[in-house]
Amino acid sequence: MSWFRWWGKSRKNDAATEVNALDQMSAIDKRAALKTLSTKLSAGSENVVMEVMQALDHPEMYVEQWGDRLDNRGIHEPIPELAWFALVDALDDLGLVFEINWKLDAENILFAVHSLLDRRGWLLPAEDRRLEQAISLEGHTYQHLRELHQWLRPHGIVLGNLDINSDCYVLILVKEDDREEIEQLATNSGYQFHSSFQ
């Protein structure tokens, strides 16, 4: 083999090794971001983090163990988004998210947000405990969510949505001080947390 051919082949191998190393680093970074995100959203629940990591590292085992839960989503085998669904479902088991249909009345939306506030233990000032004053009874789901989001922001609380690419909203409450970090962690892990209803 001539020196030129050897050098060209060597460069191709180096490039392939470099791409592979970047993919591995990317996977490591995504895993770290998802683990940190799971910790933050679950208020440090080790069970939530373990479930998410199991779905990421051992998807077949996760599907076998949590088959009943996944049946409700029509998931019967590992999918690329399995760890994200594991996070949503584990948070749901703790009452830290509330999954609602895209077409829900104001009364049930208020119930969902009240439940999330109660579960987090985030009591609003006495004069502001009536979420009902923030929402118009007429209108559609997205409008109600936008009104509640705007009403909660001055209290340092963000009404967000964990995007599962469906016609449902996975509602979650986070502190305003944590919002940017949570958005970034979700993005770095390959998923989306929407912190506003515009």
Side-chain angles (χ1 to χ4, degrees):
M1 177 184 301
S2 72
W3 179 87
F4 182 75
R5 286 181 60 198
W6 174 85
W7 181 76
K9 190 172 184 179
S10 175
R11 285 193 49 143
K12 282 182 184 176
N13 288 341
D14 288 348
T17 301
E18 191 174 314
V19 167
N20 193 23
L22 286 173
D23 287 346
Q24 285 180 336
M25 280 303 293
S26 178
I28 291 168
D29 292 344
K30 284 182 176 183
R31 185 183 193 283
L34 187 58
K35 186 173 184 178
T36 304
L37 179 66
S38 301
T39 300
K40 285 197 81 66
L41 293 181
S42 69
S45 168
E46 290 182 13
N47 288 339
V48 170
V49 174
M50 284 186 348
E51 286 180 34
V52 173
M53 292 299 101
Q54 181 190 26
L56 194 62
D57 298 336
H58 307 286
E60 294 85 3
M61 188 184 302
Y62 179 85
V63 169
E64 185 177 330
Q65 182 174 348
W66 299 99
D68 291 343
R69 178 198 274 174
L70 294 170
D71 278 346
N72 294 331
R73 297 193 180 280
I75 299 172
H76 307 290
E77 59 189 33
I79 60 171
E81 303 83 12
L82 188 62
W84 188 245
F85 282 107
L87 175 58
V88 168
D89 288 338
L91 291 172
D92 186 43
D93 284 351
L94 293 179
L96 296 174
V97 297
F98 209 109
E99 194 168 339
I100 65 168
N101 192 281
W102 70 275
K103 193 173 182 181
L104 194 66
D105 60 72
E107 186 176 330
N108 284 303
I109 293 171
L110 283 167
F111 175 80
V113 175
H114 272 299
S115 297
L116 292 173
L117 283 167
D118 289 345
R119 185 65 183 98
R120 288 283 185 188
W122 294 343
L123 299 177
L124 300 174
E127 66 273 13
D128 289 329
R129 284 197 185 141
R130 289 181 48 82
L131 280 177
E132 292 78 5
Q133 63 195 8
I135 197 170
S136 57
L137 296 178
E138 301 300 320
H140 51 83
T141 302
Y142 195 82
Q143 177 185 337
H144 299 322
L145 294 174
R146 185 174 60 237
E147 290 167 344
L148 288 168
H149 172 76
Q150 292 169 347
W151 192 81
L152 288 166
R153 287 300 280 273
H155 300 286
I157 299 171
V158 173
L159 176 62
N161 171 41
L162 298 175
D163 190 344
I164 58 171
N165 197 26
S166 81
D167 59 0
C168 294
Y169 297 103
V170 179
L171 301 179
I172 187 166
L173 296 176
V174 300
K175 289 290 190 181
E176 178 68 53
D177 293 345
D178 296 329
R179 178 185 59 82
E180 285 186 19
E181 182 184 6
I182 287 170
E183 283 179 338
Q184 192 61 57
L185 286 168
T187 299
N188 291 350
S189 61
Y191 303 104
Q192 289 189 317
F193 165 76
H194 300 290
S195 63
S196 66
F197 292 92
Q198 303 292 352

